[in-house]
Structure formats: C-alpha cells, structure tokens
Amino acid sequence: MMILGDYLARNASLYPDKPALVAGGESFSYSQLQCRVERRAEELRRSVASSSSRIVCLRALPSVEYIADYFAYQRLGFAVAPLAKDIPEEVFEAISAELSSHAVAEGTAEVLYTTGTTGKSKGVIISHRTIIADAENLIHGQGFSHELAFVINGPLNHIGSLSKMYPVIMLGATMIIVDGLKDLDSFFGAFSYPAEKMATFLVPASIRILLQFCPERLAALADKIDFIETGAAAISQSDMEALCRLLPKSRLYNTYASTETGIVCTVDFNGGKCKAGCLGRPMPNSEIFITDKGTIACKGKTLMTGYLGDPQRTSSILRDGVLYTSDSGYIDEDGMLNLKGREDDVINVGGFKVSPLEVEDAAMSFEGVSDCICIPVPHPITGAAPKLLVSVKDGTEVDFRSLGRYLMTRLERHKVPLFYEKVDSVKRTFNGKPDRKFYLETHKTDIKTSK
C-alpha cells in the first residue's frame, strides 16, 4: 500500500514544478518539497540510528520545516506525534519522554493527542492505512481536485486541519498555510493566490468571527471559494444560513469526524439540506449505525488503531472493528446522520433529557447574541437545571427575560434555561469546541444567577 509520503514522491516526478506548499511567504514546488524531505531524512538517519523509540514529537509549526520533518520521519519508519506549536518546552519534553517508553505497531503513521475537554488528553494511534482512507473519503465526499489550492489556517496537530494535507498531497494539489485567524489580513490575503478553485476548513467559532467582523470581505470571495468545510463543533442554524447567503455558489460542508473515528460523514448544507446537526451520509470508507442507547457507532478503514498505552480504554470503545462514540444521534428519512450532542453533555432535568446543542442553537438566532453555552447547575427540585451563559455582540444589550420568552417559542418548556449569565466570551478549545469541562467545574455549585 502506498503511504502519503509515496504520493509526495510520485507527484514530485509527475508535477515537479507544481506548487505543493505556500508557507511563510515562500512557495515550494513538489520537487523542492521532496528534495527537502530527502535531505532531512538523510540528516535524521544518522541521529536516530540508535533510537529505541519509534515515536517522535514535533511542534506543529505553520512552516515548511515542520512539513518536511513530518514526511522525513515517516520515511524512516517513525510515527509522528504533532504537538501544539506553542506548547511549553517542559511539557513537550515530558510528553517526548513518556512516548519513548511506548512501542507502536508497524504501519503506524501518527499519534494525535485529543483536546481533553471531557477528560484527560489521550494519544490516539493513527495508521498509514487510516490516513489514505481519510484522504479518499474527502476526495469523494467534497470534491478535492488536482487544481485546488486549500488554505489551512488551523493547528496542524489536530485532525481538522492536518487531515486536509492528506488529499492535497495525494492529488498533487496546493496547500497554503496561514497561522490562524489572529491576522485576518493574512487569512484573506491567502485567497489572492492565483488559483481558480480555493477552499478552506473553518471551525464554527472561526466562521462566527468572519460573519461578525468581515462579512463583506468574505462575500467578495464568492466566485473564488469552491468550498468550505466546518466541523469539530456544532455550527448554529443562523450561522449556516448566513454563510449560505454570503457564498451562494460555494459548497458548504458540515462533517462528522473525530480523532478516533476519522473522517466519516459530510453534507453540503448549501445544497438543500441546511439543517443544524445534519452531518450527511457516510463516505465510501465508512459505515455508521445507531446503538440501542441512541449513540453513534462507526465502522470502516478510517478508525484509529487504539489509545497509546491504554488497552483498557481502547477496548471500552473499540470492539470487533466497531468504534462506539459518546455522541447521541439519529439517522433521518434521507439516510443522513443527525447529531444531538454528546451523551455525557445531556442535562437530566427531573427525568427529562435536554440537549445543550439544541438550546444553544435556538439562542444563537436571538438578536444580539454573539455566542453562548448551556450547562447544568444544581437545582433543589429537579436535581439539575439548564443555565445559559451568553456573550453579546458589541454595542448591543440582551434582555434575559425577552430571551427566555423567545426560547419558549422554540423549545419545550423543560428545555428553556432557568438561569442566565452574561459573559465577555465563551471559553473554547483551540478547535472551536465549547470548553464544557471548564464551565462544569466553575459552576457546579452555582444557582445564584440572573433569571
């Protein structure tokens, strides 16, 4: 089986002058990138000859050096563990030392660390076979092509952005690396690249930033953006509809994926299925079904191998080729997967189940709400009650009584939050997920809030 590095070498022969990577203001052709990989592999070959560990940690910098190291180490038979680019040196060294004590099976490509929002961060083992399967799913499901220039603006140690390198390299397309959205001029400047087809991946929090602060600049790219993919967290109905209005010709994909499952389902919500929580049908290398508990289970070539050094945790969710997630969902009449939220996040209000995602989606359509998160707080009668933390748009005020009455028209009574609190912003992880773990800790005894 060809691995991703083999496709890079093949494309260096087939399309030597085709731009493979744009990073740090420089462009590197496929032949130039391959030469860097070969040169780096030769340098590393001598230094790692006596290494007992087959896992190497790398800082996932938005640079050609990181990309070259990624392929060079894999060429030498190492698994790469990409870590956040700004991770403290002490933590980096501790993880490196810890990984050196573990062995990985032949064919292992990566060890990706999850964000740890619902527990301790875990090292997820990804095989070369899985990477190729993910690439094939994205090519089939979203129309990646040889002519495409893909703007990667997220962290290259997370599957959301890292996985976009897979189909780009496989097809001989071009990737343009931008260092996040802190500099919006750099992000929009990337789309001045001379390509007819361009695309990007944006977590919902990034989409919200673009919709709020620069919708005109986004709309100006309507003829240039072939598609945008979102995922990693739930996107609200109002943001989906706003994006469709700004980019009427672009394909807009909502995707079901995780580090453990790989890239599983996708749907173009600008193609008639604009519905919050709808994540489409499985792609060719994947299968899904709903368990008796109402949670999503996945099968196919995109699944992780397991958790590094934790066979017990691995067997708790991966059995007989089936990965059992904690995501609640259902398959609709069109055969599309719909996400209701994480099983662990569901709020039990006196025996009634409340999905925070449903509450948040309803609240996001209220005028003036910029962001929100729904969490459980203790209640003397029902045991728990929904509380809504709300961030408002600049220059606006939100009356919580009016918001509550509005939610009564969109939600069943037991789902309407009893408590409200204004916050400057909603704390999120680097991949855009609301940091529920943080809020559960800080609000677990709090019921003295505004009604």
Side-chain angles (χ1 to χ4, degrees):
M1 183 196 77
M2 289 179 68
I3 67 173
L4 197 60
D6 295 332
Y7 285 96
L8 174 59
R10 184 196 69 174
N11 291 333
S13 176
L14 293 175
Y15 322 110
D17 299 324
K18 173 76 184 290
L21 171 67
V22 179
E26 294 186 76
S27 179
F28 304 89
S29 68
Y30 270 92
S31 60
Q32 290 172 327
L33 182 57
Q34 178 62 15
C35 283
R36 276 184 174 254
V37 171
E38 291 175 352
R39 185 167 64 247
R40 187 65 176 136
E42 192 56 38
E43 293 170 354
L44 293 169
R45 193 184 306 276
R46 294 186 290 271
S47 64
V48 301
S50 60
S51 175
S52 58
S53 174
R54 304 310 292 176
I55 311 173
V56 60
C57 290
L58 296 176
R59 287 183 182 272
L61 298 166
S63 66
V64 65
E65 289 80 13
Y66 166 66
I67 301 299
D69 277 2
Y70 175 94
F71 284 107
Y73 275 110
Q74 288 186 351
R75 179 173 179 151
L76 296 174
F78 284 80
V80 175
L83 303 178
K85 66 180 188 296
D86 55 356
I87 189 172
E89 186 62 27
E90 183 177 333
V91 179
F92 182 93
E93 294 298 334
I95 294 176
S96 296
E98 201 273 330
L99 288 179
S100 67
S101 65
H102 293 288
V104 289
E106 184 177 353
T108 299
E110 300 169 343
V111 177
L112 301 182
Y113 276 84
T114 61
T115 57
T117 54
T118 56
K120 184 181 177 182
S121 185
K122 305 174 284 291
V124 179
I125 304 170
I126 306 295
S127 69
H128 287 289
R129 175 178 180 264
T130 287
I131 285 176
I132 298 305
D134 281 332
E136 291 172 346
N137 271 1
L138 286 167
I139 291 167
H140 179 275
Q142 298 179 355
F144 277 75
S145 66
H146 175 68
E147 297 77 23
L148 186 71
F150 196 97
V151 177
I152 296 176
N153 68 89
L156 282 163
N157 60 304
H158 178 257
I159 190 172
S161 293
L162 183 61
S163 65
K164 304 311 173 289
M165 182 172 70
Y166 308 158
V168 166
I169 294 298
M170 181 179 282
L171 293 171
T174 302
M175 57 181 167
I176 303 170
I177 298 179
V178 179
D179 192 9
L181 285 186
K182 293 179 180 178
D183 183 354
L184 289 174
D185 288 337
S186 294
F187 172 75
F188 283 106
F191 287 90
S192 64
Y193 185 81
E196 292 186 6
K197 292 182 177 181
M198 298 196 70
T200 192
F201 171 84
L202 293 165
V203 297
S206 295
I207 289 175
R208 189 165 300 127
I209 289 172
L210 298 180
L211 292 175
Q212 288 186 18
F213 297 108
C214 39
E216 299 85 2
R217 298 181 74 177
L218 190 59
L221 298 174
D223 292 327
K224 193 78 179 280
I225 294 179
D226 188 31
F227 67 88
I228 292 176
E229 181 196 11
T230 189
I235 181 172
S236 70
Q237 183 74 31
S238 57
D239 284 355
M240 292 169 68
E241 292 171 354
L243 199 59
C244 290
R245 288 192 297 270
L246 291 177
L247 302 173
K249 302 175 186 177
S250 304
R251 302 192 306 281
L252 303 173
Y253 291 103
N254 202 3
T255 298
Y256 183 65
S258 71
T259 314
E260 289 91 343
T261 65
I263 316 296
V264 177
C265 297
T266 197
V267 63
D268 175 11
F269 61 83
N270 208 11
K273 196 72 172 179
C274 189
K275 175 187 173 186
C278 182
L279 299 167
R281 299 183 183 89
M283 290 175 273
N285 290 317
S286 304
E287 299 177 44
I288 59 167
F289 64 91
I290 306 300
T291 69
D292 294 339
K293 294 169 58 180
T295 54
I296 302 166
C298 304
K299 299 173 65 175
K301 299 177 182 178
T302 67
L303 304 184
M304 70 170 185
T305 303
Y307 291 121
L308 185 69
D310 199 339
Q312 184 175 357
R313 180 170 287 189
T314 298
S315 62
S316 71
I317 67 167
L318 182 59
R319 299 184 295 276
D320 300 322
V322 179
L323 194 143
Y324 297 89
T325 77
S326 296
D327 297 325
S328 298
Y330 65 93
I331 298 173
D332 65 21
E333 64 278 3
D334 296 321
M336 294 194 177
L337 176 65
N338 288 258
L339 185 66
K340 296 169 66 176
R342 287 187 62 85
E343 183 184 29
D344 297 341
D345 295 336
V346 171
I347 304 171
N348 190 330
V349 182
F352 292 97
K353 306 297 183 183
V354 177
S355 166
L357 291 183
E358 185 180 1
V359 178
E360 292 157 6
D361 184 61
M364 283 300 299
S365 63
F366 187 73
E367 183 67 29
V369 173
S370 171
D371 203 358
C372 64
I373 182 171
C374 180
I375 61 171
V377 293
H379 190 276
I381 305 300
T382 60
K387 175 179 178 178
L388 193 67
L389 308 180
V390 179
S391 171
V392 302
K393 296 178 181 177
D394 290 343
T396 63
E397 289 293 334
V398 171
D399 177 69
F400 288 145
R401 292 187 182 277
S402 298
L403 174 56
R405 287 194 294 269
Y406 174 79
L407 293 177
M408 288 285 287
T409 68
R410 300 176 65 89
L411 300 169
E412 296 170 80
R413 189 176 186 87
H414 65 272
K415 297 178 181 179
V416 177
L418 289 182
F419 307 103
Y420 299 81
E421 180 181 337
K422 182 180 177 181
V423 294
D424 292 335
S425 63
V426 173
K427 182 177 174 61
R428 292 178 177 270
T429 65
F430 66 76
N431 59 0
K433 293 180 180 179
D435 196 342
R436 298 189 189 279
K437 179 181 172 185
F438 169 80
Y439 287 108
L440 289 175
E441 284 297 315
T442 57
H443 290 73
K444 59 186 177 183
T445 61
D446 179 20
I447 61 172
K448 297 176 183 180
T449 49
S450 302
K451 290 188 178 182

